[in-house]
Amino acid sequence: MKNTKRSESTITSNYNASMSDILFSHSYFYRRDPKQWKNKTPFPPLGTLYAAALMRENGYKVNLFDTCLVHDPLDITPVMKLLTPKYFVIYDDGFNYLTKMCLTTMREACFEMIRIGKSNGATIIVSSSDSTDHAEKYLLQGADYIIQGEGEFTLLELINTLERNQAPEEVAGIAYLRNNEYCVNAKRPVLQDLDALPLPAWDLVEMNDYKIIWSQSNQEFTLNIATTRGCPYKCNWCAKPIYGNRYNSHSPEYVANHLEFLRQSFGVKRFWMCDDIFGLKPNWVQQFNVALKSKKLNIRYYIQSRVDLLLKEDTIDALAESGLEEVWVGAESASQKILDAMDKGTKVEQIYEATKLLKSKDIRVAFFLQFGYPGENAQDIEDTIAMVKELMPDNIGISVSYPLPGTPFFEKVKLELTQKANWENSDDLEMMFNGTYKSKYYKKLQRFVHKEYRKTQGLHNLKTIAVNPLQVSVKKIISIMKLGYYVPGSYVNRISLKKLQSENRIR
């Protein structure tokens, strides 16, 4: 797709001017996040589609301005002028971990859309992790109402109330300004019966646009669905501004119906189950497997989970049978001291056991790794790198500890925070508190660990092919060829890191 501005006629060509009660949008622009845009694997705004579906089910005419693939917040201007919506709802996808990071580039984009909506006479309603944490900032930019926490039924009650010309004081789950005074209503209980929601309004998405971008990624087109909401675990760095510390599930039958609809409507066979924790409810995974079989649905999917959860009963067997091809686990660190400090609730030995068991079932395993947590030292870092090289996960994702409002970790380090309290984009990796080392060290460390990982992977593939030439593949050959880059690169990075350890040490 060319990176050129679209004309107003192109932007508005997919909209019906008669549909103007509510215009939905959201504030995650993939193009404004260089790392994610480079990946070319964007997902539609699932949370936004759930809210739009519920409002449409209740008689409102809805439309969607999907910002995922557009260039600029200003692109919404001709749509606003065409539709003249009464309500402009900026409703972020609470299932996407990128929106939970509250990136400043997306906050600024949202502020710009708020101003555009106000200039066109719309009532502005915002629902997002960042606006939940910083409601006053959004209200001062011109938003009329901020939905705090889970949003679908709050939005429905709020708009119903406004349509009856009633005051919003009794609507649970909102913040607003009244006579320039900041008001926060009572919290709304989380939704327990998730099956009460209609299927997301997938018809509002220009799916071919997503398929075109995915075709540039060398990966099979994949759609995102959620089977649960919330997470009951208490990792002290993990923010849960939307769905909280509770855990509620769709029924396996609802999820199977959802998957069947997506298969029939868009021909998609691969899915990203974007739950914080997939299949936690006892026997849910087993029942899900039965539901798929009853519909003769052959799918492939990948998930996020925990190493301790995966070791329970026959969970991995049922996951493998139902089509699981990859699981991302929060390994975080190979230091038990650090895992305990995070209140992670897992053991290092469980990382080893779960990884080996997943591989024995031909399920790919990927690690989330986190460096820079308070108290981490050079040996903890070396232990984590050694674990990666020994277990050789199929993929790794590396971050540094990132304090988000509402977490115990944030409270622990908030006095050390500088003016910068949020990353600009998902590849920022700025240390915003006093870790063991400064930001420059951790940014270099991230590149070093990736090179060590790829170097070890290439050497492993070289040995495998040398022992058994029949196991040769294009992917393995490519990884071996890249050893010429990763071997010297890793060596140079290690020398640089040793130097930075002394230069950039904070305490």
Side-chain angles (χ1 to χ4, degrees):
M1 180 176 286
K2 295 181 179 179
N3 190 19
T4 55
K5 293 285 186 179
R6 297 182 296 164
S7 66
E8 288 195 8
S9 60
T10 301
I11 292 172
T12 58
S13 61
N14 295 320
Y15 294 91
N16 183 340
S18 67
M19 298 179 65
S20 57
D21 288 345
I22 306 171
L23 176 61
F24 280 90
S25 190
H26 59 97
S27 60
Y28 191 78
F29 292 71
Y30 275 90
R31 292 178 186 269
R32 291 196 166 198
D33 194 337
K35 176 184 176 182
Q36 301 304 324
W37 185 243
K38 182 180 179 180
N39 290 341
K40 303 299 183 186
T41 55
F43 292 108
L46 179 62
T48 317
L49 301 180
Y50 266 112
L54 181 67
M55 297 307 296
R56 184 164 62 185
E57 184 179 68
N58 281 271
Y60 291 97
K61 296 177 181 179
V62 304
N63 223 315
L64 171 69
F65 180 78
D66 183 5
T67 66
C68 280
L69 308 182
V70 303
H71 294 77
D72 193 282
L74 289 174
D75 284 350
I76 200 172
T77 302
V79 178
M80 276 282 179
K81 291 179 179 178
L82 174 70
L83 299 181
T84 61
K86 186 172 184 180
Y87 302 99
F88 179 38
V89 180
I90 305 174
Y91 196 110
D92 278 8
D93 178 12
F95 302 110
N96 190 335
Y97 77 94
L98 296 165
T99 66
K100 299 174 190 176
M101 294 172 74
C102 306
L103 305 171
T104 57
T105 185
M106 307 309 170
R107 177 190 293 172
E108 291 162 3
C110 187
F111 288 170
E112 192 166 357
M113 288 197 293
I114 289 171
R115 290 190 287 270
I116 294 169
K118 290 300 287 185
S119 69
N120 283 274
T123 296
I124 312 297
I125 302 169
V126 182
S127 172
S128 68
S129 295
D130 194 47
S131 64
T132 293
D133 291 334
H134 302 287
E136 287 187 84
K137 291 181 180 180
Y138 283 76
L139 292 169
L140 291 174
Q141 290 292 324
D144 294 290
Y145 302 97
I146 305 300
I147 293 175
Q148 303 208 297
E150 193 172 33
E152 292 95 345
F153 285 97
T154 301
L155 177 64
L156 177 60
E157 183 181 347
L158 173 61
I159 290 184
N160 283 344
T161 298
L162 296 175
E163 285 294 288
R164 293 192 295 265
N165 293 316
Q166 295 175 345
E169 281 81 357
E170 301 302 318
V171 178
I174 63 171
Y176 52 98
L177 295 177
R178 182 177 57 198
N179 299 323
N180 293 320
E181 180 181 348
Y182 179 58
C183 302
V184 182
N185 289 0
K187 290 185 178 181
R188 181 178 296 272
V190 296
L191 177 64
Q192 295 185 18
D193 181 14
L194 301 188
D195 288 3
L197 291 166
L199 289 182
W202 290 102
D203 59 290
L204 298 179
V205 173
E206 293 298 320
M207 200 63 73
N208 283 336
D209 290 348
Y210 283 89
K211 290 182 176 181
I212 290 170
I213 299 297
W214 272 81
S215 69
Q216 301 170 30
S217 72
N218 295 318
Q219 294 190 48
E220 181 180 351
F221 179 62
T222 303
L223 277 180
N224 50 326
I225 78 164
T227 72
T228 64
R229 294 186 175 190
C231 174
Y233 295 98
K234 300 184 184 297
C235 305
N236 59 39
W237 44 265
C238 182
K240 302 180 178 73
I242 302 299
Y243 301 118
N245 207 214
R246 301 285 296 276
Y247 186 86
N248 294 296
S249 300
H250 281 292
S251 67
E253 293 74 22
Y254 178 102
V255 177
N257 288 337
H258 194 175
L259 291 167
E260 183 177 47
F261 170 81
L262 294 173
R263 278 290 308 271
Q264 293 175 351
S265 300
F266 307 111
V268 63
K269 299 177 182 178
R270 185 171 184 262
F271 299 91
W272 161 230
M273 306 297 195
C274 54
D275 314 287
D276 289 336
I277 302 289
F278 180 83
L280 173 61
K281 191 175 179 181
N283 295 317
W284 192 96
V285 169
Q286 291 79 0
Q287 294 167 13
F288 175 58
N289 188 26
V290 171
L292 291 179
K293 287 181 178 179
S294 70
K295 290 182 173 292
K296 296 182 173 57
L297 277 175
N298 294 314
I299 64 165
R300 288 173 292 108
Y301 64 97
Y302 60 109
I303 65 172
Q304 295 179 143
S305 190
R306 289 170 55 95
V307 291
D308 54 346
L309 177 61
L310 290 166
L311 293 171
K312 290 183 177 179
E313 301 167 345
D314 61 342
T315 296
I316 290 181
D317 288 334
L319 288 168
E321 195 172 312
S322 62
L324 178 67
E325 64 177 20
E326 183 175 77
V327 54
W328 281 83
V329 297
E332 315 303 351
S333 174
S335 167
Q336 192 61 52
K337 174 190 73 177
I338 296 301
L339 294 180
D340 292 343
M342 291 176 170
D343 296 324
K344 183 71 182 177
T346 55
K347 301 293 183 183
V348 174
E349 53 264 31
Q350 291 173 326
I351 301 173
Y352 279 76
E353 186 180 355
T355 299
K356 293 173 183 177
L357 185 55
L358 286 164
K359 287 191 171 190
S360 73
K361 301 293 183 180
D362 293 323
I363 297 173
R364 290 166 51 89
V365 58
F367 287 175
F368 289 117
L369 301 172
Q370 184 178 154
F371 292 109
Y373 196 86
E376 182 185 62
N377 57 35
Q379 187 58 55
D380 298 323
I381 292 170
E382 287 296 331
D383 289 345
T384 300
I385 296 172
M387 177 180 72
V388 171
K389 293 171 70 173
E390 180 180 351
L391 293 178
M392 280 309 298
D394 296 279
N395 206 346
I396 56 173
I398 300 173
S399 183
V400 297
S401 299
Y402 181 32
L404 286 168
T407 64
F409 176 42
F410 179 89
E411 294 301 314
K412 182 178 180 179
V413 302
K414 68 179 180 181
L415 295 179
E416 302 174 13
L417 297 180
T418 61
Q419 279 190 323
K420 182 173 181 176
N422 295 85
W423 286 348
E424 182 179 354
N425 57 61
S426 64
D427 203 28
D428 193 321
L429 296 180
E430 185 78 20
M431 287 290 287
M432 295 185 294
F433 62 96
N434 294 329
T436 303
Y437 305 105
K438 295 180 182 178
S439 295
K440 189 175 181 180
Y441 171 84
Y442 290 106
K443 290 180 180 181
K444 180 73 72 173
L445 176 65
Q446 188 240 23
R447 292 192 289 272
F448 170 70
V449 175
H450 274 292
K451 287 176 181 175
E452 276 288 285
Y453 168 68
R454 295 301 178 190
K455 180 189 77 173
T456 306
Q457 189 179 58
L459 291 171
H460 174 76
N461 288 333
L462 181 60
K463 292 176 183 176
T464 299
I465 293 174
V467 173
N468 186 355
L470 294 178
Q471 293 191 20
V472 68
S473 68
V474 173
K475 190 173 182 179
K476 288 179 179 178
I477 291 294
I478 291 174
S479 75
I480 293 169
M481 292 174 62
K482 288 183 177 179
L483 284 172
Y485 169 75
Y486 288 122
V487 170
S490 174
Y491 177 76
V492 171
N493 273 180
R494 183 178 286 278
I495 294 173
S496 299
L497 279 172
K498 290 293 184 183
K499 185 178 179 181
L500 287 173
Q501 278 185 345
S502 57
E503 290 179 355
N504 287 346
R505 187 175 179 85
I506 292 178
R507 59 174 183 236

